[in-house]
Amino acid sequence: MTVVRPSPLWHPFTQHGLEAGMVRIRRAEGAWLECDDGRRILDAISSWWVITHGHRHPAIMQAIKDQADQLDQVIFAGFTHEPAEQVARGLIEIAPHGLAHVFLSDSGSTAVEVALKMALGYWRNRAVPRTKIVALEHAYHGDTVGAMSAGARGVFNAPYDPMLFEVRRIAFPVAGGEQHTLDALEAECKGGTIAAFICEPLILGAGGMLIYDAATLADMHRICAKYDVLFIADEVMTGFGRTGTTFACEQAGIAPDIMCVAKGLTGGALPLAATLCRREIFEAHVSTDRARMFFHSSSFTANPLACAAAATNLKIWKSEPVLARITDLADHQSNAVARLQRDQRLSNVRQLGTIAAFDIAGSANGYLADIALQLRRACLARGVLARPLGATVYVMPPYCVTADELDGAYAAISDAISEVTA
Ligand SMILES: *Cc1c(COP(=O)(O)O)cnc(C)c1O
């Protein structure tokens, strides 16, 4: 494997003092990455949860090439274009009922910033003094300042704490303790000052692949509706099939007031995000008064190349048996999970749809746990890209992965755990 250094590049979530060189990738296909020297690595985390069907889906690649022959970029204030219109219509068609408008941006973090700003603008334009946000303990909503504020406080954001705004936080609904979470949410909502509640539906990703049940998600939604608190579903990770359904909210039968999607929106090929909202939220911003408009844009809002990739991805969801593939993958994951449950070295073996996760028993957790980097290296040496969250290992592959490839990944991970815990 070619390890390249030095380079002027500064990598994300990387301690350069511990990781001297980066693995150089020249090509990808399906569930595989190919290094400069030809070595292959199974992408067991979908390249940070973005690749859904597999790398370089032919129709998405073709759509990007075709779009490049027509229109590269155009200002999106005062202008529109067909790929963006297709993305908006396609999203409304598959999103939970009642989501009627689509605001495009570039990343999950910006989709969350947009959601929070939509909620605050909605109440301000209606002259209702609701300005506070409620979020779940262990939440992760992105790395921009607003998204960090909504996320859990910890080692990730300690240096930036002085600039984060206050968010009301309620306990994660641990199994058996759900009522405590619901009571806390109700107590917050009752006060009448809460603008919105934001959560990752059914599974908290970066917080450690923490799963809670659909009934609790439905109850949280019911409480918000009872007190007129806007319900924001951050489906940036869960969206586009990861949890077994197109969106996680479907499993609770709920329709959020605002929904954020990003990662899998283009199938993972290009950066694009969308924040969907109910009609009332859009309409609260419509007026002849310029001061009531929605004050948000980024230079590349609705970039045509990214929109062409997303529009084609949405077509793939209709024309290919994507949900059947997801069900097959979830079944393969169930088989693996059944085996892992008998493994004494592991604890909390869990699964939601295409995602499987477990903890290394008796290992100190926390994102900075040494074992995370050791395991990552040991897996890489065995041709598997894994990126444990502290002592939590998860497998979240693209949907094209075969049962054999998945078995190979688990064998490599098991071997890596033996090496690291020896
Ligand atoms: C990854 C993630 C984000 C941030 O998305 P970026 O595209 O990395 O900015 C927000 N919310 C959730 C739930 C995520 O998993």
Side-chain angles (χ1 to χ4, degrees):
M1 169 172 13
T2 321
V3 174
V4 184
R5 63 187 169 144
S7 160
L9 285 170
W10 192 342
H11 290 262
F13 271 83
T14 297
Q15 178 43 273
H16 283 264
L18 291 172
E19 295 177 63
M22 301 293 133
V23 182
R24 196 179 269 239
I25 299 299
R26 68 178 179 199
R27 208 173 172 280
E29 182 158 0
W32 294 90
L33 303 172
E34 186 186 302
C35 301
D36 262 7
D37 62 5
R39 227 178 74 102
R40 294 189 344 136
I41 299 171
L42 185 82
D43 188 355
I45 63 165
S46 299
S47 281
W48 247 347
W49 320 349
V50 301
I51 299 292
T52 50
H53 314 294
H55 286 274
R56 292 195 309 109
H57 186 291
I60 296 176
M61 297 301 103
Q62 191 59 48
I64 295 169
K65 289 177 192 164
D66 293 345
Q67 185 58 40
D69 285 337
Q70 299 299 325
L71 174 66
D72 52 351
Q73 167 67 10
V74 61
I75 177 174
F76 206 61
F79 293 84
T80 191
H81 49 76
E82 185 54 23
E85 298 292 340
Q86 283 178 12
V87 171
R89 284 196 304 269
L91 275 173
I92 300 288
E93 212 175 284
I94 60 169
H97 181 73
L99 294 168
H101 292 275
V102 178
F103 191 96
L104 296 171
S105 62
D106 335 286
S107 72
S109 302
T110 54
V112 167
E113 299 283 344
V114 164
L116 298 175
K117 286 172 72 172
M118 277 180 179
L120 290 174
Y122 170 77
W123 291 115
R124 183 181 162 92
N125 285 348
R126 292 170 41 132
V128 178
R130 284 177 176 258
T131 55
K132 293 194 163 67
I133 304 295
V134 180
L136 282 179
E137 179 194 7
H138 306 307
Y140 177 79
H141 295 294
D143 281 337
T144 52
V145 171
M148 265 196 296
S149 297
R153 302 301 154 91
V155 67
F156 308 101
N157 46 39
Y160 327 113
D161 194 64
M163 59 195 289
L164 304 185
F165 56 78
E166 192 220 327
V167 163
R168 312 290 303 171
R169 209 163 300 278
I170 59 172
F172 174 78
V174 288
E178 292 92 348
Q179 194 57 45
H180 175 63
T181 298
L182 298 175
D183 291 345
L185 178 59
E186 182 142 20
E188 290 293 350
C189 291
K190 254 184 195 157
T193 60
I194 306 298
F197 169 63
I198 181 166
C199 70
E200 297 157 85
L202 298 186
I203 178 165
L204 277 56
M209 299 297 159
L210 305 174
I211 299 170
Y212 62 98
D213 66 328
T216 304
L217 178 59
D219 283 339
M220 294 195 300
H221 180 260
R222 177 181 50 74
I223 290 167
C224 289
K226 179 173 166 192
Y227 295 100
D228 271 346
V229 168
L230 295 177
F231 188 98
I232 304 173
D234 177 354
E235 293 248 15
V236 170
M237 187 271 271
T238 51
F240 295 97
R242 294 287 177 201
T243 68
T245 45
T246 307
F247 298 108
C249 283
E250 292 168 29
Q251 294 181 43
I254 61 163
D257 299 301
I258 302 177
M259 184 171 95
C260 307
V261 294
K263 293 181 172 127
L265 174 55
T266 59
L270 285 175
L272 185 72
T275 308
L276 287 74
C277 71
R278 294 176 57 80
R279 188 170 307 283
E280 297 88 312
I281 296 168
F282 174 77
E283 280 171 1
H285 290 83
V286 177
S287 160
T288 50
D289 178 358
R290 283 191 189 83
R292 295 166 66 98
M293 76 170 89
F294 186 51
F295 293 103
H296 194 92
S297 171
S298 52
S299 308
F300 291 104
T301 300
N303 172 261
L305 297 167
C307 286
T312 302
N313 174 46
L314 293 170
K315 282 181 200 144
I316 289 167
W317 274 81
K318 284 195 200 170
S319 63
E320 293 185 20
V322 180
L323 278 171
R325 269 179 221 145
I326 286 169
T327 306
D328 283 350
L329 172 54
D331 287 346
H332 298 325
Q333 288 282 48
S334 300
N335 297 337
V337 159
R339 290 195 299 271
L340 296 172
Q341 261 154 355
R342 295 191 293 269
D343 191 327
Q344 302 293 315
R345 302 169 302 170
L346 316 179
S347 63
N348 299 323
V349 181
R350 52 200 185 269
Q351 182 198 0
L352 179 64
T354 72
I355 307 166
F358 54 84
D359 304 338
I360 307 297
S363 189
N365 214 328
Y367 187 79
L368 301 187
D370 283 342
I371 196 163
L373 182 56
Q374 294 164 5
L375 266 178
R376 194 180 347 138
R377 283 183 175 146
C379 287
L380 201 54
R382 291 164 176 81
V384 173
L385 167 55
R387 204 181 155 91
L389 297 155
T392 299
V393 180
Y394 65 90
V395 175
M396 193 195 293
Y399 309 148
C400 65
V401 76
T402 65
D404 283 349
E405 288 168 338
L406 201 58
D407 286 347
Y410 278 108
I413 291 169
S414 176
D415 219 31
I417 292 170
S418 296
E419 180 193 307
V420 165
T421 57

